[in-house]
């Protein structure tokens, strides 16, 4: 009698569920105890899996804690890739962020643990560094997507800085909104803050001339 083997799709679903369970356990534990008082073994036990299973999914506890953020960055880039090709790059980036914010799968502003996690990341150097690494990787992916939209060779971006500039500016607006949201305790709507942040990129901003206190407008 032959034994039925799990189909690839089923294996992927099982692996995804295990990864998500490990990430949830990691977030819960570090918010309960603090990063330094949580071990990989604690996370595996909370998720009810073996220690070696953790190692198949994550390099360390910081990676597990921040896996939801990595997934969100992937979702933003997927939304960016799906935007209509006629949209200007920064318009497409902004729209992709709002597509993510409105997604049925909860984004940051609809997850109760995110305020605590973002606050913790600011206090824990290793967690902050891991978060920055995730952000840099996501931005590199977004630069390649924008380059393709503009017809720029993604392997030769030194010749055309537009993709990198668009992503740096768009990501900066998003980070500014997220930081304001977190430091305000989530009192203000994150989508509203994101909209205001991107609006500053489409308006003329006052300039203070060097050595003066007079504010002048862009010519």
């Amino acid at each position: 009698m032959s034994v039925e083997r799990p189909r690839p799709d089923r294996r992927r679903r099982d692996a995804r569920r295990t990864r998500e369970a490990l990430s949830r356990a990691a977030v819960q534990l570090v918010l309960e105890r603090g990063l330094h008082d949580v071990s990989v073994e604690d996370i595996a036990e909370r998720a009810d899996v073996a220690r070696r299973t953790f190692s198949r999914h994550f390099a360390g506890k910081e990676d597990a804690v921040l896996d939801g953020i990595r997934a969100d960055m992937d979702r933003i880039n997927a939304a960016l890739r799906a935007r209509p090709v006629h949209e200007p790059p920064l318009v497409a980036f902004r729209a992709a962020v709002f597509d993510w914010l409105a997604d049925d799968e909860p984004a940051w502003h609809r997850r109760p643990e995110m305020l605590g996690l973002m606050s913790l990341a600011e206090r824990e150097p290793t967690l902050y560094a891991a978060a920055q690494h995730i952000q840099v990787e996501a931005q590199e992916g977004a630069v390649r997507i924008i380059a393709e939209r503009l017809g720029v060779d993604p392997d030769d971006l030194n010749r055309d800085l537009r993709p990198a500039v668009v992503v740096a500016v768009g990501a900066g607006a998003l980070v500014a909104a997220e930081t304001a949201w977190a430091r305000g305790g989530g009192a203000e709507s994150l989508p509203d803050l994101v909209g205001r942040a991107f609006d500053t990129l489409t308006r003329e901003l006052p300039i203070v001339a060097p050595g003066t206190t007079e504010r002048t407008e862009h010519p």
Side-chain angles (χ1 to χ4, degrees), residues 61-82:
K61 58 186 177 182
E62 290 86 358
D63 285 342
V65 170
L66 298 172
D67 195 53
I69 292 178
R70 180 182 290 103
D72 279 335
M73 297 293 95
D74 290 344
R75 287 163 58 200
I76 292 173
N77 279 353
L80 176 60
R81 188 175 288 107

Side-chain angles (χ1 to χ4, degrees), residues 116-163:
L117 187 57
M118 292 179 73
S119 177
L120 182 66
E122 288 192 344
R123 302 193 305 270
E124 293 285 357
T126 58
L127 202 58
Y128 182 81
Q132 292 300 302
H133 181 70
I134 290 170
Q135 187 177 54
V136 168
E137 283 188 335
Q139 289 180 21
E140 288 175 351
V143 168
R144 296 184 72 86
I145 295 168
I146 294 294
E148 291 168 1
R149 292 175 65 91
L150 292 173
V152 175
D153 183 355
D155 295 318
D156 191 15
L157 294 173
N158 288 338
R159 292 176 180 269
D160 193 328
L161 295 177
R162 289 178 298 165

Side-chain angles (χ1 to χ4, degrees), residues 8 41-42 46 48 67 69 73 76 78 89-90 97 101 107 111 140 142 144-145 151 181 184 202 216:
E41 288 75 16
D42 292 332
R46 174 69 67 92
D48 196 24
D67 195 53
I69 292 178
M73 297 293 95
I76 292 173
L90 188 57
V97 171
L101 288 168
R111 294 185 207 154
E140 288 175 351
R144 296 184 72 86
I145 295 168
W181 176 77
T202 58
T216 59

Side-chain angles (χ1 to χ4, degrees), residues 185-198:
E188 192 165 354
S189 160
L190 179 57
D192 287 348
L193 287 166
V194 169
R196 285 166 49 195
F198 274 94

Side-chain angles (χ1 to χ4, degrees), residues 23-67:
S23 182
R24 282 195 303 272
V27 171
Q28 291 167 359
L29 285 167
V30 299
L31 291 179
E32 290 170 8
R33 306 179 190 174
L35 184 67
H36 297 291
D37 291 328
V38 174
S39 68
V40 167
E41 288 75 16
D42 292 332
I43 297 169
E45 182 179 356
R46 174 69 67 92
D48 196 24
V49 300
R51 169 66 172 80
R52 65 181 178 275
T53 301
F54 179 96
S55 298
R56 285 202 295 268
H57 291 278
F58 300 111
K61 58 186 177 182
E62 290 86 358
D63 285 342
V65 170
L66 298 172
D67 195 53

